[in-house]
Amino acid sequence: MKLNKLKKYSRIGFEKLVSKASLRKSMKDGIARRPPQIVYWIQHTECMLDCPMCNVTHIPMAEERESWISTERMIEIVNEMADIGVPNFGISGGEPLLDTERLFKILDAAGKRGIYTHFGTNGLLMSDDILRRYDSIGVGHISLSIDGIGEIHDRVRGRKGIWENGALKGIEIFQRVKPKNINLKINSVVSDENIDTLPELVRFVAERGYVIFLQPFDPCAYAFLTKHKDAAIAHEKFPQWIPPERIDLLGEVIDKVLQIEKQYPGTLLNDTNHLRAIKRYFSFDLLDNPAPCTVAFQNLWIRPNGNVGYCNYGLVGNLKEMSLSELWNCERMIDVRMGMLKCNFVCLLGCMYFPSTLDLLKKGVKTARKLLK
């Protein structure tokens, strides 16, 4: 089983290195020389929660619910992904486990074609049987959302009992089932509501042998943030934004988190540069010299009705009407890519996390050691 894991992790790492090497040439004409590194599918927008840091439920998709892409068509897309060499496929929502049968039909199709898969969850609907079922499909991971321990997580997520009945339950299921093919990844949104307790959370994860990715809060309001470039104004409009008087505390928290990483190598999926940039992100220092956004050269999102689009750049196409290969380098996609290269806001979303080649290798080895245990 470890050999299967190693093969898939190695393939993902190799694809990232090759894609990074070809990126400079692609940025000149907008044509991606490699297939997507990862394809995400928003299965649906339904969820039992309404978390303030999640923008998916606010995407105007009401009219799309009557025209969701069929399960059969999604399986065709998964097979095309395998044919063109996509190594990584993620499913999100909403809460994917609200439609378990549809979720597992797609995961099973991807697993049979050797694609590394993963899905995100708040943990409320997790069970031993679900984890065992996923473990039988192939190699992948579950991303469990945890923003703090105990009542901190409940407060951030806006509902009492989420920690005990979702986050903690999810971890206990992994400890009980001990899956051979599926790993657990913790996703935590860094915000003004939880920065004081982030080191406690990272240590909690590290001591249990899991990995965590720290994602700075993003309200997806780039026009507003770029216009004002002021942490106080951003905090007033979005309470999760870290205000100026707490930026130094954030720096101290990041130092503590990095110390925990030294003690438990491979726990943090972020590298040091990304973590240091979080402080500059909340203080708007990153806007002085924004790096070009190359997300559309490497990742692709499929909405419930088959639409593919990026941020504020509109619709690229619909996978009901065209193949993945046709869409990936169509004229509209090239226009979107060239437009995104000039984006003047640095969002630091997970899709924008591209460590240097050296950092990618070092971090990859440390994390792989932990995941292959």
Side-chain angles (χ1 to χ4, degrees):
M1 296 300 179
K2 285 186 179 180
L3 181 59
N4 288 336
K5 278 189 177 183
L6 182 60
K7 285 180 179 178
K8 291 200 176 182
Y9 291 145
S10 298
R11 183 189 173 201
I12 291 172
F14 175 77
E15 286 293 331
K16 284 186 177 181
L17 290 172
V18 173
S19 180
K20 195 175 184 69
S22 66
L23 188 56
R24 186 172 303 228
K25 186 175 182 180
S26 295
M27 288 169 64
K28 293 180 180 179
D29 56 17
I31 299 173
R33 267 71 184 177
R34 303 291 300 172
Q37 285 185 32
I38 179 169
V39 172
Y40 296 95
W41 174 42
I42 302 174
Q43 182 181 348
H44 55 241
T45 60
E46 296 174 8
C47 187
M48 63 284 281
L49 303 178
D50 187 17
C51 302
M53 73 287 291
C54 178
N55 72 317
V56 171
T57 56
H58 303 295
I59 297 174
M61 293 189 186
E63 74 281 3
E64 298 178 359
R65 292 193 173 105
E66 297 180 357
S67 57
W68 282 354
I69 195 165
S70 69
T71 301
E72 293 73 22
R73 177 60 187 137
M74 273 307 304
I75 291 174
E76 290 176 355
I77 293 169
V78 165
N79 284 323
E80 186 181 2
M81 286 163 46
D83 290 341
I84 66 175
V86 174
N88 197 335
F89 177 49
I91 301 178
S92 66
E95 170 56 56
L97 290 175
L98 282 170
D99 192 350
T100 307
E101 291 309 308
R102 179 168 159 90
L103 170 68
F104 275 98
K105 283 181 180 178
I106 305 304
L107 289 173
D108 186 59
K112 287 177 179 176
R113 293 300 306 272
I115 299 174
Y116 182 95
T117 62
H118 50 97
F119 68 88
T121 181
N122 56 41
L124 288 172
L125 299 178
M126 274 292 293
S127 69
D128 292 26
D129 287 343
I130 284 174
L131 182 53
R132 291 192 183 100
R133 184 176 179 183
Y134 190 23
D135 193 40
S136 69
I137 286 175
V139 177
H141 73 261
I142 292 176
S143 292
L144 180 62
S145 298
I146 306 181
D147 298 311
I149 295 176
E151 64 178 21
I152 299 296
H153 183 61
D154 288 358
R155 186 173 73 241
V156 172
R157 293 282 160 170
R159 179 170 158 181
K160 191 173 182 179
I162 297 298
W163 162 256
E164 184 176 351
N165 300 315
L168 186 58
K169 184 185 75 171
I171 290 174
E172 289 174 345
I173 288 171
F174 264 85
Q175 292 175 325
R176 186 164 55 245
V177 173
K178 296 180 174 59
K180 296 180 179 179
N181 296 306
I182 304 302
N183 289 306
L184 177 62
K185 170 194 171 191
I186 306 301
N187 281 346
S188 185
V189 178
V190 180
S191 74
D192 191 46
E193 296 179 308
N194 69 347
I195 56 171
D196 309 72
T197 60
L198 277 178
E200 181 186 8
L201 173 61
V202 172
R203 184 171 292 279
F204 176 88
V205 173
E207 288 175 348
R208 284 153 182 79
Y210 301 121
V211 297
I212 184 169
F213 185 79
L214 301 179
Q215 169 64 62
F217 167 71
D218 188 329
C220 296
Y222 305 137
F224 177 88
L225 296 173
T226 305
K227 176 182 177 181
H228 295 285
K229 300 181 183 179
D230 188 304
I233 294 175
H235 177 71
E236 182 178 353
K237 186 171 180 63
F238 308 105
Q240 293 81 18
W241 195 274
I242 298 174
E245 63 271 18
R246 303 249 293 167
I247 294 294
D248 287 342
L249 171 62
L250 174 59
E252 295 171 8
V253 165
I254 290 171
D255 287 340
K256 291 179 182 179
V257 165
L258 287 170
Q259 286 300 315
I260 297 171
E261 168 69 10
K262 287 183 179 180
Q263 187 177 357
Y264 299 92
T267 297
L268 287 170
L269 293 177
N270 317 67
D271 69 3
T272 301
N273 289 333
H274 187 259
L275 285 171
R276 296 291 186 202
I278 291 177
K279 179 179 177 180
R280 298 179 60 208
Y281 163 78
F282 280 111
S283 59
F284 289 90
D285 289 345
L286 289 178
L287 297 191
D288 294 338
N289 186 27
C293 177
T294 59
V295 169
F297 290 92
Q298 303 176 77
N299 300 341
L300 184 143
W301 282 262
I302 307 171
R303 292 186 177 183
N305 72 338
N307 279 346
V308 173
Y310 294 85
C311 300
N312 300 322
Y313 292 85
L315 177 67
V316 174
N318 188 291
L319 289 175
K320 287 181 183 176
E321 304 161 356
M322 58 198 308
S323 70
L324 183 63
S325 298
E326 290 171 335
L327 182 141
W328 185 234
N329 275 315
C330 69
E331 185 175 343
R332 173 60 183 154
M333 178 67 91
I334 292 171
D335 289 342
V336 167
R337 286 180 181 137
M338 299 309 286
M340 291 178 73
L341 287 173
K342 300 174 184 176
C343 180
N344 58 0
F345 188 83
V346 182
C347 62
L348 278 193
L349 285 169
C351 58
M352 272 294 289
Y353 174 52
F354 298 122
S356 69
T357 302
L358 180 59
D359 285 333
L360 185 62
L361 288 169
K362 291 191 296 185
K363 176 60 67 175
V365 170
K366 289 180 181 178
T367 304
R369 286 175 180 169
K370 181 176 286 287
L371 295 178
L372 287 169
K373 285 183 179 179

